[in-house]
Amino acid sequence: MATTYKYPFITGEDLKKAASQINLNFDIDNIQSSLSLAANDLKDIVSQAVWDEMITYFNSGDYNPDGTTVNDGLVNAFLAPLANMAMLHHFIWLQLNISNSGITVTKSDHETAAFKYQTDEAKEKLLQSAWVETSNLIDFLNTKATVWTLWKAQTAYVLNQVVRQNNVFYKATAAFTSGDTFNAANWIQIADADVVLNEWTLSQQYTEQKTLIFTGYKDFDKYFSIDRNAAFYIRCRYLISEIIKEDIYPRLGTKEITNEVMLIKVKRFLAYKTMALSVMRFDPFHLPVSIRQSIKNNMTKANNDFNYLKEKYSAGIENRAARYLEELDMYREQKDVNEIPDPGPYDNYEQEYDDDQKFVSML
């Protein structure tokens, strides 16, 4: 039977299954506004279209929490990040009671307000869980979505490989190499619905990552630890693109970097420059837990201004990025970005020996 729920939870018990720290008696009606904020966070990360696909299936009457279909898995993948984010947004209201009499805190013979260090740790754990579960959601989308590419000329294709041409999906009918123009005889058109999770692979959040030099958030994490936070990486796509356009392409004059050493140096600079910008531009809520904690750990009684410490932390990373950019420029001066490495300094003086020669001169 079809329903019209706005979120994939019906009762407080459903919410507790997704975020076990919640009291079983929790009334889900009390956090509707926070669920809305959490839903908006996720829509920014995985797109409105993916959210719509998930909630439509949840309301279809076909959803089975123990099911094995991709759509069952999609709904399940949303539950934990949504629940944890909602509880994080609602955290302050869990501590306060607002009524006509004013704002009070819970205190009775059996209950009293928690200490600040306890609430601080609870918020950090909620935030950490929210971002870990969001990374799991994105991993699910990447793993389950049908892999497809834009059609290209003079390219080898295999049987059943999926491409997109003129906003239409096609599947190869055999293994072949494409010509200079698209030949419909080599393909069979397939409906969008047959391309699993195309809502994700057609989204800006997904497609814009294809131009960022990094292969994904795990690749970025190799150069600067972001706690494998996929949501943070997706939010950084504008920053990374900005840096590439301003600092990389003008230097290299190419969008393809085949020199492996050059590629490593580019990624290292990109990662540090991106982090320096993100610390200054992003709300602390969106920063990886370890980054935010590093800033907080530098707080002192003499100066506990978080914005000041953000600037100081960002400046330190910016200095490292500048040094890596200098290394990149020095390497560029030695060789072209894509050329075969030059021979060593003594290679031109190596002797070639012939077994038929009776004498060899070695100077």
Side-chain angles (χ1 to χ4, degrees):
M1 179 179 177
T3 55
T4 57
Y5 291 106
K6 294 175 63 176
Y7 311 106
F9 303 111
I10 300 175
T11 67
E13 184 175 356
D14 294 333
L15 201 64
K16 180 174 176 57
K17 290 177 182 178
S20 59
Q21 61 270 40
I22 298 172
N23 190 297
L24 187 59
N25 296 322
F26 195 86
D27 189 348
I28 197 170
D29 290 335
N30 290 337
I31 64 164
Q32 291 298 305
S33 61
S34 295
L35 278 170
S36 177
L37 292 173
N40 287 336
D41 286 333
L42 289 177
K43 291 172 188 176
D44 285 344
I45 296 165
V46 300
S47 81
Q48 178 74 50
V50 173
W51 172 272
D52 290 344
E53 176 71 9
M54 179 277 297
I55 202 65
T56 298
Y57 182 74
F58 178 79
N59 283 310
S60 68
D62 296 326
Y63 169 59
N64 177 4
D66 298 318
T68 58
T69 69
V70 171
N71 281 331
D72 289 326
L74 177 62
V75 175
N76 291 339
F78 264 95
L79 300 180
L82 181 63
N84 281 278
M85 281 187 186
M87 295 308 299
L88 186 63
H89 282 300
H90 205 74
F91 196 87
I92 185 62
W93 309 121
L94 299 176
Q95 304 174 68
L96 303 178
N97 296 316
I98 301 178
S99 66
N100 292 332
S101 302
I103 302 175
T104 59
V105 296
T106 300
K107 193 170 185 180
S108 68
D109 292 339
H110 306 289
E111 293 180 307
T112 188
F115 293 108
K116 184 180 183 301
Y117 77 89
Q118 294 173 317
T119 57
D120 286 349
E121 183 175 353
K123 287 172 64 178
E124 287 297 332
K125 292 298 183 183
L126 276 173
L127 189 54
Q128 185 174 0
S129 295
W131 294 139
V132 167
E133 296 296 349
T134 303
S135 293
N136 290 339
L137 167 61
I138 292 169
D139 286 343
F140 173 87
L141 295 171
N142 288 336
T143 301
K144 297 298 183 180
T146 298
V147 177
W148 60 269
T149 60
L150 294 175
W151 178 86
K152 289 184 179 180
Q154 302 299 328
T155 301
Y157 290 104
V158 299
L159 175 66
N160 294 327
Q161 187 167 347
V162 178
V163 300
R164 190 168 173 83
Q165 170 71 356
N166 294 330
N167 297 323
V168 176
F169 286 111
Y170 295 90
K171 183 165 61 175
T173 57
F176 71 98
T177 299
S178 60
D180 293 329
T181 59
F182 182 81
N183 184 355
N186 295 321
W187 305 91
I188 182 173
Q189 183 176 337
I190 56 177
D192 286 4
D194 293 328
V195 179
V196 179
L197 293 174
N198 68 80
E199 298 84 4
W200 169 239
T201 53
L202 288 173
S203 70
Q204 289 184 332
Q205 288 85 341
Y206 180 87
T207 57
E208 288 174 352
Q209 293 181 62
K210 298 298 182 180
T211 63
L212 300 184
I213 296 180
F214 297 101
T215 59
Y217 76 93
K218 294 178 183 177
D219 188 26
F220 186 101
D221 192 78
K222 296 176 184 177
Y223 296 88
F224 196 114
S225 176
I226 55 173
D227 306 329
R228 296 168 74 86
N229 187 328
F232 172 76
Y233 176 76
I234 291 175
R235 289 185 183 280
C236 282
R237 67 189 188 277
Y238 302 119
L239 299 182
I240 300 173
S241 179
E242 174 186 321
I243 299 166
I244 290 173
K245 291 175 183 177
E246 291 183 359
D247 294 313
I248 302 302
Y249 289 162
R251 279 178 162 78
L252 305 188
T254 178
K255 293 185 178 181
E256 289 191 34
I257 307 172
T258 58
N259 183 304
E260 292 185 7
V261 175
M262 178 70 71
L263 183 59
I264 291 172
K265 292 181 180 296
V266 167
K267 287 182 177 180
R268 185 168 57 183
F269 161 70
L270 267 179
Y272 274 79
K273 181 69 173 182
T274 299
M275 294 308 302
L277 293 179
S278 67
V279 168
M280 292 304 303
R281 296 187 189 181
F282 286 7
D283 185 285
F285 173 81
H286 297 300
L287 294 175
V289 175
S290 62
I291 303 300
R292 195 175 57 260
Q293 287 288 36
S294 293
I295 297 173
K296 286 186 175 181
N297 289 341
N298 286 319
M299 286 186 174
T300 64
K301 294 181 180 180
N303 191 338
N304 61 356
D305 181 76
F306 190 77
N307 289 328
Y308 166 80
L309 291 171
K310 277 176 56 177
E311 293 178 5
K312 185 177 180 180
Y313 189 84
S314 176
I317 303 175
E318 178 74 37
N319 289 337
R320 290 283 295 275
R323 291 203 297 270
Y324 291 143
L325 189 60
E326 289 179 3
E327 290 183 13
L328 178 62
D329 288 337
M330 291 174 62
Y331 188 77
R332 282 178 50 247
E333 292 176 1
Q334 297 175 25
K335 54 175 61 65
D336 184 79
V337 297
N338 292 320
E339 72 178 6
I340 298 174
D342 293 333
Y346 303 108
D347 291 355
N348 293 331
Y349 301 97
E350 288 185 354
Q351 297 285 340
E352 294 185 3
Y353 306 121
D354 187 338
D355 291 338
D356 293 333
Q357 290 179 337
K358 294 183 179 180
F359 304 98
V360 175
S361 173
M362 301 185 67
L363 302 177

